[in-house]
Amino acid sequence: MLRHLTPAALGRIGGGGRRTSVLRRLSVAAVALTAAVAATVIPALPAHAAAFKVLVFSKTAAFRHDAISVGIQAIRDLGSSNDFTVDATEDSSVFNTSNLAQYKAVVFLSTTGDVLNDTQQSAFQTYVDGGGGYVGVHAASDTEYNWSYYGQLMGAWFNSHPAIQQATVRNEDRAHAATSHLGATWSRTDEWYNFRTNPRSNVRVLQSLDESSYSGGGMGDHPITWCHPQSSGRAFYTGLGHTQESYSDSNFRTLLLGGIRYAAKATNADCRPETGYTALYNGSTTGWSQAGPGSFTNSAATLTSQGGMGMLWYSAKEFRSYSLKLDWRLTGDSNSGVIVGFPATGDPNTALNTGHEVQIDATDSSDKTTGAVYGFKAADTTARDAALNPPGQWNTYELLVEGERLQVFLNGTKINDFTNTDSARSLQQGYIGIQNHGSGDVAAFRNVRIKELTTVTPTPTPTPTPTPTPTANTSALRGTASGRCLDVSGASQANGAAVNIWDCNGRSNQQWTSTASGELRVYGGKCLDVNGGGTANGTAVLIWDCNGQNNQKWRLNSDNSITAVGSGKCLDVSGNGTANGTKVQIWTCLGANNQKWTRG
């Protein structure tokens, strides 16, 4: 049994450098024994302290699935084999702040109907937004229809289903721990849900259905498994799991395990919504050329390096401003990297000397570790280590190139922000490549995709911009209904920090600057942000690094309402609440006082 551990500094040596090996110790966790009863929570009695605890909740107020009991046992078995303990219950009174605090994730296992009262709902919302995990399985989407927050958390509510039958599942994301073990498609038998809405714009879709492979699909684009960050917490949902046989299927059990581990923050993934990308590699190497010695094998839509030192580069097109995403995995202390911004060349060393390499390596010096721009700028190692999956597991990079600015995101977390000032190099136009470093260095890549950008965020100065002194357009935003101020929860400056209302106190986490481009900035560099670019009523509002996108733009209206540009909906205090800590969201503009704000 493997306990997830935050790895030591990861990195790699670039082009022709020498590796400096650093010995790292990996801990091995022991077996956790679990004991739980479905009807009532009974604390498990592990033989040692397990890595984390999970609560399985299976209360039903409508249809009851006969697979619930075997599902509970399957999750217990997964816990015993993977170092987490499991409590199971159908008693909704356990949804209180003190009890939920002991769990890293809560699994809604084919719950149906209205299963939590208002007080329990509030406790669960506080738990997830404060960093807890949610896992929904199958009929979890047939639950709590009158609770808007749950609809946002779960992603999309159930609408209908045809008869149980075989269908083809497309595995769109093969880096997530829930799906990395699967091929491009998966043929299986289940009860295939149609949903009331398509969640794709608000979640990262991991799996979708090929509606031509079965009868009764009614969505066209048909997501079936997905994940997304939820304020400081995480959410995972799969529509699979109707049948008892599902829970003895090793592929489904691995999917379920990956979802639980993601929600519990025992493994990481980029679960931000993703649309508009074009595949450069997803099985076909058309348009790619090998430079230098060595090569990549191409099997099961996976490129695996061998020999070197060479480079496989996409020679079909140069790119200017873009978001490049790719999934990568190392074997042991291997060495590779992603090279961007170089001119056409058959010499990998020329590419390294004229472009910039973003490192992938398990150990090295700080400016040559994973996430570093090789030889130029080290990664934020604290952020990197928190976001990183260790060798043997998949990770996802996003390289965001805008002018001479290169931002590096690892599993959805920004770990580097570099501005090129070397006159011999330029990021403003060039090719992209992946490195095969040498004999014994084995790196694998999947799903290389790109989104070309038409709007470019101005390149910042290399030094941080200080928090501005309050001016005429910097002030508090006071809610008309509550008299309380728009407030970043806990004065956090982390991406994804929740925004709520709180007693006005004049502190920096309540000072909002309106910019000419329509942003509402706090702390100088963070923007008021609609989570995942969502447009649905109840979508959370939080803070995130300013990026110029429409989900960070707002209109301050003459009636004192504030409208989100991306959705046309109003900045709204949830549930018309007035208490400290009440979350804000977007909602259809109603002219109500909980949607009105005044300066000062």
Side-chain angles (χ1 to χ4, degrees):
M1 288 146 297
L2 178 66
R3 178 182 301 189
H4 172 78
L5 300 168
T6 300
L10 271 90
R12 70 155 237 86
I13 291 185
R18 298 177 182 171
R19 175 174 303 134
T20 303
S21 296
V22 178
L23 183 61
R24 299 186 305 155
R25 181 170 303 180
L26 300 177
S27 300
V28 179
V31 178
L33 301 177
T34 65
V37 175
T40 306
V41 172
I42 299 177
L45 300 174
H48 78 299
F52 59 90
K53 292 180 69 176
V54 169
L55 176 65
V56 179
F57 183 55
S58 55
K59 180 178 178 179
T60 56
F63 182 83
R64 185 169 182 85
H65 286 72
D66 64 6
I68 287 176
S69 59
V70 294
I72 292 171
Q73 186 58 52
I75 296 171
R76 287 174 173 158
D77 293 344
L78 290 172
S80 295
S81 301
N82 294 277
D83 202 24
F84 62 89
T85 56
V86 177
D87 293 341
T89 190
E90 296 194 354
D91 179 4
S92 56
S93 69
V94 304
F95 282 77
N96 61 74
T97 301
S98 59
N99 186 64
L100 290 174
Q102 66 183 304
Y103 300 106
K104 290 294 186 181
V106 177
V107 181
F108 277 51
L109 178 62
S110 282
T111 51
T112 55
D114 188 359
V115 292
L116 300 177
N117 65 29
D118 290 350
T119 301
Q120 294 156 1
Q121 289 175 359
S122 179
F124 188 52
Q125 179 173 343
T126 298
Y127 162 79
V128 175
D129 285 351
Y134 164 84
V135 176
V137 180
H138 194 57
S141 61
D142 190 22
T143 302
E144 294 290 350
Y145 287 100
N146 295 319
W147 184 19
S148 62
Y149 175 83
Y150 183 80
Q152 173 194 350
L153 177 67
M154 187 269 307
W157 274 301
F158 164 80
N159 185 43
S160 63
H161 65 79
I164 296 171
Q165 59 192 293
Q166 188 176 75
T168 298
V169 179
R170 297 188 182 106
N171 298 305
E172 296 189 20
D173 185 319
R174 296 172 63 221
H176 196 286
T179 49
S180 62
H181 63 295
L182 299 169
T185 60
W186 181 21
S187 182
R188 72 183 313 275
T189 297
D190 215 313
E191 181 180 72
W192 303 111
Y193 278 5
N194 296 310
F195 300 98
R196 295 184 181 185
T197 57
N198 188 325
R200 186 178 291 274
S201 63
N202 296 317
V203 302
R204 173 58 173 146
V205 175
L206 305 179
Q207 296 179 310
S208 59
L209 295 178
D210 178 355
E211 289 193 342
S212 69
S213 68
Y214 72 104
S215 300
M219 295 181 64
D221 175 27
H222 196 144
I224 197 67
T225 301
W226 55 77
C227 59
H228 67 96
Q230 175 61 45
S231 193
S232 296
R234 295 178 175 185
F236 174 92
Y237 171 81
T238 182
L240 282 60
H242 173 84
T243 65
Q244 294 187 33
E245 292 79 9
S246 293
Y247 297 91
S248 59
D249 175 358
S250 61
N251 281 329
F252 177 75
R253 287 166 71 107
T254 300
L255 181 144
L256 191 56
L257 173 63
I260 291 170
R261 284 176 53 78
Y262 164 75
K265 299 183 179 178
T267 191
N268 297 301
D270 188 349
C271 283
R272 297 172 298 169
E274 183 175 308
T275 58
Y277 284 78
T278 299
L280 300 184
Y281 169 79
N282 204 7
S284 171
T285 55
T286 299
W288 292 81
S289 301
Q290 177 69 32
S295 63
F296 285 83
T297 63
N298 182 18
S299 177
T302 305
L303 293 167
T304 305
S305 67
Q306 54 185 10
M309 168 146 73
M311 173 185 70
L312 185 67
W313 61 294
Y314 189 73
S315 55
K317 186 177 181 180
E318 284 187 86
F319 297 101
R320 292 180 180 271
S321 293
Y322 54 87
S323 166
L324 173 69
K325 289 190 176 184
L326 48 80
D327 306 328
W328 58 267
R329 180 183 66 188
L330 290 185
T331 299
D333 184 14
S334 290
N335 190 326
S336 187
V338 184
I339 310 162
V340 296
F342 59 90
T345 180
D347 181 358
N349 288 311
T350 297
L352 292 167
N353 292 331
T354 56
H356 286 288
E357 185 179 4
V358 178
Q359 302 310 300
I360 301 173
D361 189 344
T363 55
D364 211 323
S365 58
S366 62
D367 66 339
K368 300 168 186 171
T369 59
T370 290
V373 179
Y374 178 73
F376 286 87
K377 187 173 183 179
D380 177 338
T381 55
T382 299
R384 189 271 315 282
D385 289 351
L388 183 67
N389 295 322
Q393 297 181 26
W394 287 93
N395 291 275
T396 298
Y397 262 167
E398 179 189 7
L399 308 186
L400 181 59
V401 176
E402 300 172 289
E404 294 294 351
R405 184 184 186 187
L406 167 59
Q407 297 177 75
V408 181
F409 295 80
L410 174 65
N411 295 324
T413 297
K414 186 160 78 170
I415 62 170
N416 208 336
D417 194 338
F418 166 73
T419 300
N420 174 57
T421 58
D422 184 350
S423 60
R425 308 170 193 245
S426 177
L427 289 164
Q428 294 191 33
Q429 186 169 353
Y431 293 88
I432 64 172
I434 54 177
Q435 187 183 64
N436 53 303
H437 186 270
S439 178
D441 290 309
V442 182
F445 295 88
R446 285 179 174 169
N447 195 14
V448 183
R449 65 266 194 203
I450 198 164
K451 179 194 287 187
E452 297 185 76
L453 306 178
T454 55
T455 301
V456 178
T457 302
T459 300
T461 57
T463 55
T465 302
T467 301
T469 301
T471 60
N473 69 338
T474 299
S475 65
L477 289 169
R478 187 184 300 267
T480 299
S482 66
R484 292 190 164 94
C485 283
L486 190 68
D487 173 285
V488 182
S489 181
S492 172
Q493 297 192 29
N495 280 340
V499 177
N500 53 24
I501 56 171
W502 202 269
D503 291 332
C504 299
N505 53 37
R507 295 174 183 165
S508 61
N509 64 316
Q510 293 184 354
Q511 295 296 310
W512 300 91
T513 301
S514 57
T515 70
S517 61
E519 299 164 326
L520 284 171
R521 290 189 171 226
V522 66
Y523 308 129
K526 301 287 184 179
C527 276
L528 192 68
D529 177 291
V530 180
N531 188 25
T535 59
N537 280 344
T539 302
V541 173
L542 40 83
I543 62 167
W544 203 271
D545 291 331
C546 297
N547 56 35
Q549 297 178 9
N550 278 346
N551 65 316
Q552 295 186 351
K553 294 184 179 179
W554 305 83
R555 286 191 296 270
L556 279 62
N557 304 310
S558 59
D559 66 351
N560 291 333
S561 65
I562 299 176
T563 308
V565 170
S567 65
K569 293 181 175 175
C570 278
L571 184 65
D572 174 286
V573 180
S574 177
N576 203 21
T578 59
N580 278 339
T582 304
K583 299 292 191 297
V584 295
Q585 58 187 11
I586 58 168
W587 201 270
T588 302
C589 296
L590 304 170
N593 282 341
N594 70 314
Q595 295 182 348
K596 293 187 177 180
W597 307 84
T598 56
R599 285 280 189 187

